Amino acid sequence: MSITNGVEKQGLLIELENIQNRGITIFLEGIPSSPLTVTDALCVNDSNDFMRDYVTNEKGVWTELRFDRVESL
């Protein structure tokens, strides 16, 4: 998802806030982060540089959302 305007940025922020409100921890490069911090990082660095990783526990319940930088070849 490429974030090119304020509407898309606001949409991402709301999405991440909803995820966090469900008790899911959000990480940016391995560090627990707030929805605003992640949104700002993705907007500044172009979100195509980051990959989402949805982490579940042994029961299959979603527990973490990780954003990790992806190096292009």
Side-chain angles (χ1 to χ4, degrees):
M1 174 173 83
S2 178
I3 301 172
T4 57
N5 63 48
V7 173
E8 290 173 344
K9 181 177 179 179
Q10 184 66 25
L12 177 61
L13 179 59
I14 290 169
E15 175 191 2
L16 295 178
E17 286 173 340
N18 288 335
I19 289 168
Q20 186 179 54
N21 289 338
R22 291 173 46 198
I24 297 165
T25 306
I26 300 171
F27 290 83
L28 178 63
E29 295 290 331
I31 300 169
S33 301
S34 71
L36 183 58
T37 299
V38 173
T39 299
D40 287 345
L42 270 60
C43 290
V44 168
N45 294 301
D46 186 1
S47 64
N48 292 327
D49 293 341
F50 288 87
M51 176 183 70
R52 288 186 184 210
D53 186 17
Y54 301 89
V55 179
T56 60
N57 64 17
E58 62 281 347
K59 295 180 181 180
V61 176
W62 186 17
T63 58
E64 298 176 4
L65 174 57
R66 295 180 169 267
F67 288 88
D68 295 307
R69 187 177 304 277
V70 177
E71 299 294 325
S72 52
L73 300 174

